Amino acid sequence: MYRDFITVGILLKKLKIKNKTKIKTFNDLVPDNWIYIQEKDVKMGRIQIFNNWSPYMVKDDQNVWIGLEYFCNEGDELWNMDDHKFADFAINELSDIDIINKDDVIDWVIIRMPKTYPAYFGTYDRFSIIREFTDHFENLFLVGRNGMHRYNNMDHSMLTAMTAVENIRQGVTSKDNLWMINAEEDYHEE
């Protein structure tokens, strides 16, 4: 099972929240890449500030490009919401939690991504059965978040792919080194 995902990209003149840290940022933008939203009265799960990933992600560096992340299931109310209605909904949520002024919105885009996050419920406790079955295929190397049904970050996902390529080049058929990537406890939530 997977959780699906919707990103609402919003281009803004500015954010209402300000950098109150000692970290120097371009245009004094808050220094975070991600802001996790804990307010119970909104459905938004996280905000990405794309300017902080790279200033080249925004054509006009005086503007702010953010992504609002919504966790959902394909076919549910959020997934089926009309794009214009969803954009208004998301902008209202941002305004309600005092992150933006609605008048600062320049543009928006909505991207729906099915099967984004592996779900660790349902029959996940029997995942080892699937792994043991697929590991028997010498020429099948499961990689990345969806291939391994594991919530790897992008670096770990790319590393599983690079390791699989190296295994193929070296004639290694064991998949053990792939499954050891991101197995360190430091990366796991409690």
Side-chain angles (χ1 to χ4, degrees), residues 128-152:
S128 61
I129 296 168
I130 295 170
R131 179 187 163 189
E132 289 168 19
F133 176 76
T134 58
D135 280 355
H136 283 96
F137 295 93
E138 289 185 4
N139 64 345
L140 177 63
F141 293 85
L142 303 179
V143 299
R145 186 178 281 179
N146 284 0
M148 300 177 84
H149 203 81
R150 177 184 275 179
Y151 182 68
N152 287 333

mmCIF file with all atom_site columns, all heavy atoms in Angstrom, residues 128-152:
data_model
loop_
_atom_site.group_PDB
_atom_site.id
_atom_site.type_symbol
_atom_site.label_atom_id
_atom_site.label_alt_id
_atom_site.label_comp_id
_atom_site.label_asym_id
_atom_site.label_entity_id
_atom_site.label_seq_id
_atom_site.pdbx_PDB_ins_code
_atom_site.Cartn_x
_atom_site.Cartn_y
_atom_site.Cartn_z
_atom_site.occupancy
_atom_site.B_iso_or_equiv
_atom_site.pdbx_formal_charge
_atom_site.auth_seq_id
_atom_site.auth_comp_id
_atom_site.auth_asym_id
_atom_site.auth_atom_id
_atom_site.pdbx_PDB_model_num
ATOM 1   N N   . SER A 1 128 ? 8.771  -9.272  4.252   1.00 0.00 ? 128 SER A N   1
ATOM 2   C CA  . SER A 1 128 ? 9.922  -10.165 4.046   1.00 0.00 ? 128 SER A CA  1
ATOM 3   C C   . SER A 1 128 ? 9.593  -11.295 3.066   1.00 0.00 ? 128 SER A C   1
ATOM 4   O O   . SER A 1 128 ? 10.482 -11.783 2.352   1.00 0.00 ? 128 SER A O   1
ATOM 5   C CB  . SER A 1 128 ? 10.404 -10.741 5.383   1.00 0.00 ? 128 SER A CB  1
ATOM 6   O OG  . SER A 1 128 ? 9.360  -11.498 5.980   1.00 0.00 ? 128 SER A OG  1
ATOM 7   N N   . ILE A 1 129 ? 8.345  -11.707 2.997   1.00 0.00 ? 129 ILE A N   1
ATOM 8   C CA  . ILE A 1 129 ? 7.934  -12.763 2.049   1.00 0.00 ? 129 ILE A CA  1
ATOM 9   C C   . ILE A 1 129 ? 8.155  -12.287 0.613   1.00 0.00 ? 129 ILE A C   1
ATOM 10  O O   . ILE A 1 129 ? 8.701  -13.019 -0.226  1.00 0.00 ? 129 ILE A O   1
ATOM 11  C CB  . ILE A 1 129 ? 6.460  -13.160 2.274   1.00 0.00 ? 129 ILE A CB  1
ATOM 12  C CG1 . ILE A 1 129 ? 6.282  -13.773 3.659   1.00 0.00 ? 129 ILE A CG1 1
ATOM 13  C CG2 . ILE A 1 129 ? 5.968  -14.104 1.178   1.00 0.00 ? 129 ILE A CG2 1
ATOM 14  C CD1 . ILE A 1 129 ? 4.834  -13.931 4.092   1.00 0.00 ? 129 ILE A CD1 1
ATOM 15  N N   . ILE A 1 130 ? 7.776  -11.054 0.342   1.00 0.00 ? 130 ILE A N   1
ATOM 16  C CA  . ILE A 1 130 ? 7.967  -10.496 -1.004  1.00 0.00 ? 130 ILE A CA  1
ATOM 17  C C   . ILE A 1 130 ? 9.452  -10.312 -1.288  1.00 0.00 ? 130 ILE A C   1
ATOM 18  O O   . ILE A 1 130 ? 9.938  -10.642 -2.369  1.00 0.00 ? 130 ILE A O   1
ATOM 19  C CB  . ILE A 1 130 ? 7.202  -9.166  -1.149  1.00 0.00 ? 130 ILE A CB  1
ATOM 20  C CG1 . ILE A 1 130 ? 5.705  -9.432  -1.052  1.00 0.00 ? 130 ILE A CG1 1
ATOM 21  C CG2 . ILE A 1 130 ? 7.555  -8.464  -2.453  1.00 0.00 ? 130 ILE A CG2 1
ATOM 22  C CD1 . ILE A 1 130 ? 4.866  -8.188  -0.951  1.00 0.00 ? 130 ILE A CD1 1
ATOM 23  N N   . ARG A 1 131 ? 10.178 -9.786  -0.311  1.00 0.00 ? 131 ARG A N   1
ATOM 24  C CA  . ARG A 1 131 ? 11.615 -9.591  -0.516  1.00 0.00 ? 131 ARG A CA  1
ATOM 25  C C   . ARG A 1 131 ? 12.309 -10.913 -0.812  1.00 0.00 ? 131 ARG A C   1
ATOM 26  O O   . ARG A 1 131 ? 13.112 -11.014 -1.750  1.00 0.00 ? 131 ARG A O   1
ATOM 27  C CB  . ARG A 1 131 ? 12.247 -8.926  0.699   1.00 0.00 ? 131 ARG A CB  1
ATOM 28  C CG  . ARG A 1 131 ? 13.734 -8.760  0.469   1.00 0.00 ? 131 ARG A CG  1
ATOM 29  C CD  . ARG A 1 131 ? 14.488 -8.266  1.649   1.00 0.00 ? 131 ARG A CD  1
ATOM 30  N NE  . ARG A 1 131 ? 15.905 -8.546  1.404   1.00 0.00 ? 131 ARG A NE  1
ATOM 31  C CZ  . ARG A 1 131 ? 16.831 -8.402  2.294   1.00 0.00 ? 131 ARG A CZ  1
ATOM 32  N NH1 . ARG A 1 131 ? 16.539 -7.963  3.492   1.00 0.00 ? 131 ARG A NH1 1
ATOM 33  N NH2 . ARG A 1 131 ? 18.082 -8.695  2.007   1.00 0.00 ? 131 ARG A NH2 1
ATOM 34  N N   . GLU A 1 132 ? 12.027 -11.942 -0.031  1.00 0.00 ? 132 GLU A N   1
ATOM 35  C CA  . GLU A 1 132 ? 12.652 -13.254 -0.262  1.00 0.00 ? 132 GLU A CA  1
ATOM 36  C C   . GLU A 1 132 ? 12.313 -13.783 -1.652  1.00 0.00 ? 132 GLU A C   1
ATOM 37  O O   . GLU A 1 132 ? 13.176 -14.340 -2.350  1.00 0.00 ? 132 GLU A O   1
ATOM 38  C CB  . GLU A 1 132 ? 12.206 -14.245 0.810   1.00 0.00 ? 132 GLU A CB  1
ATOM 39  C CG  . GLU A 1 132 ? 12.803 -13.968 2.184   1.00 0.00 ? 132 GLU A CG  1
ATOM 40  C CD  . GLU A 1 132 ? 12.129 -14.779 3.285   1.00 0.00 ? 132 GLU A CD  1
ATOM 41  O OE1 . GLU A 1 132 ? 11.467 -15.800 2.988   1.00 0.00 ? 132 GLU A OE1 1
ATOM 42  O OE2 . GLU A 1 132 ? 12.258 -14.376 4.465   1.00 0.00 ? 132 GLU A OE2 1
ATOM 43  N N   . PHE A 1 133 ? 11.080 -13.586 -2.100  1.00 0.00 ? 133 PHE A N   1
ATOM 44  C CA  . PHE A 1 133 ? 10.671 -14.041 -3.426  1.00 0.00 ? 133 PHE A CA  1
ATOM 45  C C   . PHE A 1 133 ? 11.420 -13.289 -4.521  1.00 0.00 ? 133 PHE A C   1
ATOM 46  O O   . PHE A 1 133 ? 12.003 -13.901 -5.417  1.00 0.00 ? 133 PHE A O   1
ATOM 47  C CB  . PHE A 1 133 ? 9.158  -13.864 -3.598  1.00 0.00 ? 133 PHE A CB  1
ATOM 48  C CG  . PHE A 1 133 ? 8.673  -14.213 -4.978  1.00 0.00 ? 133 PHE A CG  1
ATOM 49  C CD1 . PHE A 1 133 ? 8.543  -15.544 -5.369  1.00 0.00 ? 133 PHE A CD1 1
ATOM 50  C CD2 . PHE A 1 133 ? 8.366  -13.221 -5.895  1.00 0.00 ? 133 PHE A CD2 1
ATOM 51  C CE1 . PHE A 1 133 ? 8.109  -15.872 -6.642  1.00 0.00 ? 133 PHE A CE1 1
ATOM 52  C CE2 . PHE A 1 133 ? 7.925  -13.540 -7.165  1.00 0.00 ? 133 PHE A CE2 1
ATOM 53  C CZ  . PHE A 1 133 ? 7.797  -14.873 -7.541  1.00 0.00 ? 133 PHE A CZ  1
ATOM 54  N N   . THR A 1 134 ? 11.441 -11.955 -4.448  1.00 0.00 ? 134 THR A N   1
ATOM 55  C CA  . THR A 1 134 ? 12.094 -11.175 -5.509  1.00 0.00 ? 134 THR A CA  1
ATOM 56  C C   . THR A 1 134 ? 13.605 -11.328 -5.490  1.00 0.00 ? 134 THR A C   1
ATOM 57  O O   . THR A 1 134 ? 14.244 -11.264 -6.539  1.00 0.00 ? 134 THR A O   1
ATOM 58  C CB  . THR A 1 134 ? 11.717 -9.685  -5.426  1.00 0.00 ? 134 THR A CB  1
ATOM 59  O OG1 . THR A 1 134 ? 12.090 -9.168  -4.151  1.00 0.00 ? 134 THR A OG1 1
ATOM 60  C CG2 . THR A 1 134 ? 10.222 -9.486  -5.667  1.00 0.00 ? 134 THR A CG2 1
ATOM 61  N N   . ASP A 1 135 ? 14.194 -11.543 -4.322  1.00 0.00 ? 135 ASP A N   1
ATOM 62  C CA  . ASP A 1 135 ? 15.645 -11.720 -4.247  1.00 0.00 ? 135 ASP A CA  1
ATOM 63  C C   . ASP A 1 135 ? 16.125 -12.977 -4.988  1.00 0.00 ? 135 ASP A C   1
ATOM 64  O O   . ASP A 1 135 ? 17.293 -13.085 -5.330  1.00 0.00 ? 135 ASP A O   1
ATOM 65  C CB  . ASP A 1 135 ? 16.115 -11.770 -2.785  1.00 0.00 ? 135 ASP A CB  1
ATOM 66  C CG  . ASP A 1 135 ? 16.233 -10.390 -2.155  1.00 0.00 ? 135 ASP A CG  1
ATOM 67  O OD1 . ASP A 1 135 ? 16.037 -9.378  -2.873  1.00 0.00 ? 135 ASP A OD1 1
ATOM 68  O OD2 . ASP A 1 135 ? 16.512 -10.323 -0.943  1.00 0.00 ? 135 ASP A OD2 1
ATOM 69  N N   . HIS A 1 136 ? 15.235 -13.923 -5.250  1.00 0.00 ? 136 HIS A N   1
ATOM 70  C CA  . HIS A 1 136 ? 15.622 -15.133 -5.972  1.00 0.00 ? 136 HIS A CA  1
ATOM 71  C C   . HIS A 1 136 ? 15.871 -14.887 -7.455  1.00 0.00 ? 136 HIS A C   1
ATOM 72  O O   . HIS A 1 136 ? 16.506 -15.701 -8.125  1.00 0.00 ? 136 HIS A O   1
ATOM 73  C CB  . HIS A 1 136 ? 14.555 -16.234 -5.800  1.00 0.00 ? 136 HIS A CB  1
ATOM 74  C CG  . HIS A 1 136 ? 14.632 -16.892 -4.466  1.00 0.00 ? 136 HIS A CG  1
ATOM 75  N ND1 . HIS A 1 136 ? 13.835 -16.509 -3.416  1.00 0.00 ? 136 HIS A ND1 1
ATOM 76  C CD2 . HIS A 1 136 ? 15.419 -17.881 -4.004  1.00 0.00 ? 136 HIS A CD2 1
ATOM 77  C CE1 . HIS A 1 136 ? 14.128 -17.255 -2.364  1.00 0.00 ? 136 HIS A CE1 1
ATOM 78  N NE2 . HIS A 1 136 ? 15.092 -18.096 -2.687  1.00 0.00 ? 136 HIS A NE2 1
ATOM 79  N N   . PHE A 1 137 ? 15.377 -13.774 -7.992  1.00 0.00 ? 137 PHE A N   1
ATOM 80  C CA  . PHE A 1 137 ? 15.621 -13.446 -9.394  1.00 0.00 ? 137 PHE A CA  1
ATOM 81  C C   . PHE A 1 137 ? 16.973 -12.764 -9.494  1.00 0.00 ? 137 PHE A C   1
ATOM 82  O O   . PHE A 1 137 ? 17.135 -11.618 -9.073  1.00 0.00 ? 137 PHE A O   1
ATOM 83  C CB  . PHE A 1 137 ? 14.509 -12.542 -9.943  1.00 0.00 ? 137 PHE A CB  1
ATOM 84  C CG  . PHE A 1 137 ? 13.166 -13.206 -9.977  1.00 0.00 ? 137 PHE A CG  1
ATOM 85  C CD1 . PHE A 1 137 ? 12.278 -13.074 -8.922  1.00 0.00 ? 137 PHE A CD1 1
ATOM 86  C CD2 . PHE A 1 137 ? 12.793 -13.985 -11.071 1.00 0.00 ? 137 PHE A CD2 1
ATOM 87  C CE1 . PHE A 1 137 ? 11.036 -13.681 -8.947  1.00 0.00 ? 137 PHE A CE1 1
ATOM 88  C CE2 . PHE A 1 137 ? 11.549 -14.600 -11.106 1.00 0.00 ? 137 PHE A CE2 1
ATOM 89  C CZ  . PHE A 1 137 ? 10.667 -14.456 -10.038 1.00 0.00 ? 137 PHE A CZ  1
ATOM 90  N N   . GLU A 1 138 ? 17.962 -13.470 -10.056 1.00 0.00 ? 138 GLU A N   1
ATOM 91  C CA  . GLU A 1 138 ? 19.325 -12.952 -10.089 1.00 0.00 ? 138 GLU A CA  1
ATOM 92  C C   . GLU A 1 138 ? 19.441 -11.644 -10.857 1.00 0.00 ? 138 GLU A C   1
ATOM 93  O O   . GLU A 1 138 ? 20.291 -10.814 -10.550 1.00 0.00 ? 138 GLU A O   1
ATOM 94  C CB  . GLU A 1 138 ? 20.282 -13.986 -10.683 1.00 0.00 ? 138 GLU A CB  1
ATOM 95  C CG  . GLU A 1 138 ? 20.515 -15.172 -9.770  1.00 0.00 ? 138 GLU A CG  1
ATOM 96  C CD  . GLU A 1 138 ? 21.566 -16.126 -10.316 1.00 0.00 ? 138 GLU A CD  1
ATOM 97  O OE1 . GLU A 1 138 ? 22.170 -15.838 -11.374 1.00 0.00 ? 138 GLU A OE1 1
ATOM 98  O OE2 . GLU A 1 138 ? 21.777 -17.167 -9.675  1.00 0.00 ? 138 GLU A OE2 1
ATOM 99  N N   . ASN A 1 139 ? 18.600 -11.430 -11.860 1.00 0.00 ? 139 ASN A N   1
ATOM 100 C CA  . ASN A 1 139 ? 18.713 -10.225 -12.675 1.00 0.00 ? 139 ASN A CA  1
ATOM 101 C C   . ASN A 1 139 ? 17.678 -9.154  -12.320 1.00 0.00 ? 139 ASN A C   1
ATOM 102 O O   . ASN A 1 139 ? 17.442 -8.241  -13.087 1.00 0.00 ? 139 ASN A O   1
ATOM 103 C CB  . ASN A 1 139 ? 18.602 -10.573 -14.171 1.00 0.00 ? 139 ASN A CB  1
ATOM 104 C CG  . ASN A 1 139 ? 17.238 -11.153 -14.525 1.00 0.00 ? 139 ASN A CG  1
ATOM 105 O OD1 . ASN A 1 139 ? 16.487 -11.554 -13.651 1.00 0.00 ? 139 ASN A OD1 1
ATOM 106 N ND2 . ASN A 1 139 ? 16.940 -11.184 -15.814 1.00 0.00 ? 139 ASN A ND2 1
ATOM 107 N N   . LEU A 1 140 ? 17.080 -9.246  -11.141 1.00 0.00 ? 140 LEU A N   1
ATOM 108 C CA  . LEU A 1 140 ? 16.118 -8.251  -10.686 1.00 0.00 ? 140 LEU A CA  1
ATOM 109 C C   . LEU A 1 140 ? 16.682 -7.549  -9.454  1.00 0.00 ? 140 LEU A C   1
ATOM 110 O O   . LEU A 1 140 ? 16.957 -8.180  -8.430  1.00 0.00 ? 140 LEU A O   1
ATOM 111 C CB  . LEU A 1 140 ? 14.776 -8.909  -10.325 1.00 0.00 ? 140 LEU A CB  1
ATOM 112 C CG  . LEU A 1 140 ? 13.696 -7.988  -9.763  1.00 0.00 ? 140 LEU A CG  1
ATOM 113 C CD1 . LEU A 1 140 ? 13.288 -6.940  -10.793 1.00 0.00 ? 140 LEU A CD1 1
ATOM 114 C CD2 . LEU A 1 140 ? 12.492 -8.806  -9.313  1.00 0.00 ? 140 LEU A CD2 1
ATOM 115 N N   . PHE A 1 141 ? 16.879 -6.245  -9.581  1.00 0.00 ? 141 PHE A N   1
ATOM 116 C CA  . PHE A 1 141 ? 17.410 -5.447  -8.488  1.00 0.00 ? 141 PHE A CA  1
ATOM 117 C C   . PHE A 1 141 ? 16.396 -4.353  -8.158  1.00 0.00 ? 141 PHE A C   1
ATOM 118 O O   . PHE A 1 141 ? 16.181 -3.442  -8.957  1.00 0.00 ? 141 PHE A O   1
ATOM 119 C CB  . PHE A 1 141 ? 18.751 -4.810  -8.876  1.00 0.00 ? 141 PHE A CB  1
ATOM 120 C CG  . PHE A 1 141 ? 19.844 -5.811  -9.057  1.00 0.00 ? 141 PHE A CG  1
ATOM 121 C CD1 . PHE A 1 141 ? 20.009 -6.461  -10.273 1.00 0.00 ? 141 PHE A CD1 1
ATOM 122 C CD2 . PHE A 1 141 ? 20.699 -6.118  -8.012  1.00 0.00 ? 141 PHE A CD2 1
ATOM 123 C CE1 . PHE A 1 141 ? 21.019 -7.396  -10.445 1.00 0.00 ? 141 PHE A CE1 1
ATOM 124 C CE2 . PHE A 1 141 ? 21.713 -7.048  -8.171  1.00 0.00 ? 141 PHE A CE2 1
ATOM 125 C CZ  . PHE A 1 141 ? 21.864 -7.694  -9.383  1.00 0.00 ? 141 PHE A CZ  1
ATOM 126 N N   . LEU A 1 142 ? 15.739 -4.465  -7.019  1.00 0.00 ? 142 LEU A N   1
ATOM 127 C CA  . LEU A 1 142 ? 14.771 -3.463  -6.593  1.00 0.00 ? 142 LEU A CA  1
ATOM 128 C C   . LEU A 1 142 ? 15.530 -2.269  -6.024  1.00 0.00 ? 142 LEU A C   1
ATOM 129 O O   . LEU A 1 142 ? 16.424 -2.428  -5.202  1.00 0.00 ? 142 LEU A O   1
ATOM 130 C CB  . LEU A 1 142 ? 13.826 -4.043  -5.544  1.00 0.00 ? 142 LEU A CB  1
ATOM 131 C CG  . LEU A 1 142 ? 13.054 -5.291  -5.972  1.00 0.00 ? 142 LEU A CG  1
ATOM 132 C CD1 . LEU A 1 142 ? 12.183 -5.781  -4.831  1.00 0.00 ? 142 LEU A CD1 1
ATOM 133 C CD2 . LEU A 1 142 ? 12.230 -5.025  -7.218  1.00 0.00 ? 142 LEU A CD2 1
ATOM 134 N N   . VAL A 1 143 ? 15.180 -1.072  -6.489  1.00 0.00 ? 143 VAL A N   1
ATOM 135 C CA  . VAL A 1 143 ? 15.874 0.134   -6.047  1.00 0.00 ? 143 VAL A CA  1
ATOM 136 C C   . VAL A 1 143 ? 14.872 1.246   -5.772  1.00 0.00 ? 143 VAL A C   1
ATOM 137 O O   . VAL A 1 143 ? 13.738 1.223   -6.243  1.00 0.00 ? 143 VAL A O   1
ATOM 138 C CB  . VAL A 1 143 ? 16.902 0.622   -7.095  1.00 0.00 ? 143 VAL A CB  1
ATOM 139 C CG1 . VAL A 1 143 ? 17.972 -0.436  -7.342  1.00 0.00 ? 143 VAL A CG1 1
ATOM 140 C CG2 . VAL A 1 143 ? 16.237 1.028   -8.396  1.00 0.00 ? 143 VAL A CG2 1
ATOM 141 N N   . GLY A 1 144 ? 15.310 2.220   -5.000  1.00 0.00 ? 144 GLY A N   1
ATOM 142 C CA  . GLY A 1 144 ? 14.524 3.420   -4.758  1.00 0.00 ? 144 GLY A CA  1
ATOM 143 C C   . GLY A 1 144 ? 13.350 3.200   -3.823  1.00 0.00 ? 144 GLY A C   1
ATOM 144 O O   . GLY A 1 144 ? 13.116 2.108   -3.310  1.00 0.00 ? 144 GLY A O   1
ATOM 145 N N   . ARG A 1 145 ? 12.617 4.265   -3.616  1.00 0.00 ? 145 ARG A N   1
ATOM 146 C CA  . ARG A 1 145 ? 11.504 4.270   -2.672  1.00 0.00 ? 145 ARG A CA  1
ATOM 147 C C   . ARG A 1 145 ? 10.419 3.277   -3.078  1.00 0.00 ? 145 ARG A C   1
ATOM 148 O O   . ARG A 1 145 ? 9.966  2.473   -2.275  1.00 0.00 ? 145 ARG A O   1
ATOM 149 C CB  . ARG A 1 145 ? 10.939 5.687   -2.588  1.00 0.00 ? 145 ARG A CB  1
ATOM 150 C CG  . ARG A 1 145 ? 9.885  5.850   -1.549  1.00 0.00 ? 145 ARG A CG  1
ATOM 151 C CD  . ARG A 1 145 ? 9.399  7.267   -1.491  1.00 0.00 ? 145 ARG A CD  1
ATOM 152 N NE  . ARG A 1 145 ? 10.344 8.094   -0.755  1.00 0.00 ? 145 ARG A NE  1
ATOM 153 C CZ  . ARG A 1 145 ? 10.192 9.391   -0.564  1.00 0.00 ? 145 ARG A CZ  1
ATOM 154 N NH1 . ARG A 1 145 ? 9.157  10.015  -1.069  1.00 0.00 ? 145 ARG A NH1 1
ATOM 155 N NH2 . ARG A 1 145 ? 11.071 10.071  0.120   1.00 0.00 ? 145 ARG A NH2 1
ATOM 156 N N   . ASN A 1 146 ? 9.971  3.350   -4.315  1.00 0.00 ? 146 ASN A N   1
ATOM 157 C CA  . ASN A 1 146 ? 8.879  2.473   -4.730  1.00 0.00 ? 146 ASN A CA  1
ATOM 158 C C   . ASN A 1 146 ? 9.349  1.062   -5.020  1.00 0.00 ? 146 ASN A C   1
ATOM 159 O O   . ASN A 1 146 ? 8.627  0.101   -4.749  1.00 0.00 ? 146 ASN A O   1
ATOM 160 C CB  . ASN A 1 146 ? 8.154  3.058   -5.942  1.00 0.00 ? 146 ASN A CB  1
ATOM 161 C CG  . ASN A 1 146 ? 7.256  4.213   -5.561  1.00 0.00 ? 146 ASN A CG  1
ATOM 162 O OD1 . ASN A 1 146 ? 7.171  4.578   -4.400  1.00 0.00 ? 146 ASN A OD1 1
ATOM 163 N ND2 . ASN A 1 146 ? 6.590  4.789   -6.531  1.00 0.00 ? 146 ASN A ND2 1
ATOM 164 N N   . GLY A 1 147 ? 10.535 0.892   -5.570  1.00 0.00 ? 147 GLY A N   1
ATOM 165 C CA  . GLY A 1 147 ? 11.033 -0.442  -5.860  1.00 0.00 ? 147 GLY A CA  1
ATOM 166 C C   . GLY A 1 147 ? 11.232 -1.274  -4.604  1.00 0.00 ? 147 GLY A C   1
ATOM 167 O O   . GLY A 1 147 ? 10.918 -2.463  -4.565  1.00 0.00 ? 147 GLY A O   1
ATOM 168 N N   . MET A 1 148 ? 11.763 -0.640  -3.571  1.00 0.00 ? 148 MET A N   1
ATOM 169 C CA  . MET A 1 148 ? 12.058 -1.354  -2.328  1.00 0.00 ? 148 MET A CA  1
ATOM 170 C C   . MET A 1 148 ? 10.933 -1.214  -1.305  1.00 0.00 ? 148 MET A C   1
ATOM 171 O O   . MET A 1 148 ? 11.004 -1.805  -0.232  1.00 0.00 ? 148 MET A O   1
ATOM 172 C CB  . MET A 1 148 ? 13.366 -0.842  -1.732  1.00 0.00 ? 148 MET A CB  1
ATOM 173 C CG  . MET A 1 148 ? 14.555 -1.036  -2.667  1.00 0.00 ? 148 MET A CG  1
ATOM 174 S SD  . MET A 1 148 ? 16.075 -0.366  -1.991  1.00 0.00 ? 148 MET A SD  1
ATOM 175 C CE  . MET A 1 148 ? 16.573 -1.752  -0.956  1.00 0.00 ? 148 MET A CE  1
ATOM 176 N N   . HIS A 1 149 ? 9.929  -0.423  -1.631  1.00 0.00 ? 149 HIS A N   1
ATOM 177 C CA  . HIS A 1 149 ? 8.835  -0.118  -0.710  1.00 0.00 ? 149 HIS A CA  1
ATOM 178 C C   . HIS A 1 149 ? 9.401  0.301   0.650   1.00 0.00 ? 149 HIS A C   1
ATOM 179 O O   . HIS A 1 149 ? 9.052  -0.204  1.704   1.00 0.00 ? 149 HIS A O   1
ATOM 180 C CB  . HIS A 1 149 ? 7.887  -1.302  -0.545  1.00 0.00 ? 149 HIS A CB  1
ATOM 181 C CG  . HIS A 1 149 ? 6.528  -0.868  -0.099  1.00 0.00 ? 149 HIS A CG  1
ATOM 182 N ND1 . HIS A 1 149 ? 5.599  -0.367  -0.970  1.00 0.00 ? 149 HIS A ND1 1
ATOM 183 C CD2 . HIS A 1 149 ? 5.963  -0.818  1.125   1.00 0.00 ? 149 HIS A CD2 1
ATOM 184 C CE1 . HIS A 1 149 ? 4.507  -0.050  -0.296  1.00 0.00 ? 149 HIS A CE1 1
ATOM 185 N NE2 . HIS A 1 149 ? 4.702  -0.305  0.973   1.00 0.00 ? 149 HIS A NE2 1
ATOM 186 N N   . ARG A 1 150 ? 10.326 1.251   0.556   1.00 0.00 ? 150 ARG A N   1
ATOM 187 C CA  . ARG A 1 150 ? 11.005 1.746   1.757   1.00 0.00 ? 150 ARG A CA  1
ATOM 188 C C   . ARG A 1 150 ? 11.091 3.260   1.639   1.00 0.00 ? 150 ARG A C   1
ATOM 189 O O   . ARG A 1 150 ? 11.419 3.787   0.581   1.00 0.00 ? 150 ARG A O   1
ATOM 190 C CB  . ARG A 1 150 ? 12.409 1.144   1.833   1.00 0.00 ? 150 ARG A CB  1
ATOM 191 C CG  . ARG A 1 150 ? 13.227 1.638   2.991   1.00 0.00 ? 150 ARG A CG  1
ATOM 192 C CD  . ARG A 1 150 ? 14.619 1.095   2.949   1.00 0.00 ? 150 ARG A CD  1
ATOM 193 N NE  . ARG A 1 150 ? 14.659 -0.224  3.564   1.00 0.00 ? 150 ARG A NE  1
ATOM 194 C CZ  . ARG A 1 150 ? 15.749 -0.939  3.639   1.00 0.00 ? 150 ARG A CZ  1
ATOM 195 N NH1 . ARG A 1 150 ? 16.876 -0.528  3.112   1.00 0.00 ? 150 ARG A NH1 1
ATOM 196 N NH2 . ARG A 1 150 ? 15.731 -2.109  4.229   1.00 0.00 ? 150 ARG A NH2 1
ATOM 197 N N   . TYR A 1 151 ? 10.835 3.940   2.727   1.00 0.00 ? 151 TYR A N   1
ATOM 198 C CA  . TYR A 1 151 ? 10.861 5.401   2.720   1.00 0.00 ? 151 TYR A CA  1
ATOM 199 C C   . TYR A 1 151 ? 12.301 5.897   2.810   1.00 0.00 ? 151 TYR A C   1
ATOM 200 O O   . TYR A 1 151 ? 12.761 6.369   3.828   1.00 0.00 ? 151 TYR A O   1
ATOM 201 C CB  . TYR A 1 151 ? 10.002 5.953   3.856   1.00 0.00 ? 151 TYR A CB  1
ATOM 202 C CG  . TYR A 1 151 ? 9.967  7.463   3.863   1.00 0.00 ? 151 TYR A CG  1
ATOM 203 C CD1 . TYR A 1 151 ? 9.334  8.152   2.832   1.00 0.00 ? 151 TYR A CD1 1
ATOM 204 C CD2 . TYR A 1 151 ? 10.577 8.192   4.863   1.00 0.00 ? 151 TYR A CD2 1
ATOM 205 C CE1 . TYR A 1 151 ? 9.308  9.529   2.814   1.00 0.00 ? 151 TYR A CE1 1
ATOM 206 C CE2 . TYR A 1 151 ? 10.554 9.567   4.863   1.00 0.00 ? 151 TYR A CE2 1
ATOM 207 C CZ  . TYR A 1 151 ? 9.930  10.227  3.830   1.00 0.00 ? 151 TYR A CZ  1
ATOM 208 O OH  . TYR A 1 151 ? 9.907  11.600  3.819   1.00 0.00 ? 151 TYR A OH  1
ATOM 209 N N   . ASN A 1 152 ? 13.017 5.773   1.700   1.00 0.00 ? 152 ASN A N   1
ATOM 210 C CA  . ASN A 1 152 ? 14.375 6.316   1.608   1.00 0.00 ? 152 ASN A CA  1
ATOM 211 C C   . ASN A 1 152 ? 14.307 7.782   1.223   1.00 0.00 ? 152 ASN A C   1
ATOM 212 O O   . ASN A 1 152 ? 13.416 8.191   0.486   1.00 0.00 ? 152 ASN A O   1
ATOM 213 C CB  . ASN A 1 152 ? 15.173 5.592   0.515   1.00 0.00 ? 152 ASN A CB  1
ATOM 214 C CG  . ASN A 1 152 ? 15.580 4.203   0.910   1.00 0.00 ? 152 ASN A CG  1
ATOM 215 O OD1 . ASN A 1 152 ? 15.735 3.914   2.086   1.00 0.00 ? 152 ASN A OD1 1
ATOM 216 N ND2 . ASN A 1 152 ? 15.763 3.339   -0.063  1.00 0.00 ? 152 ASN A ND2 1
#
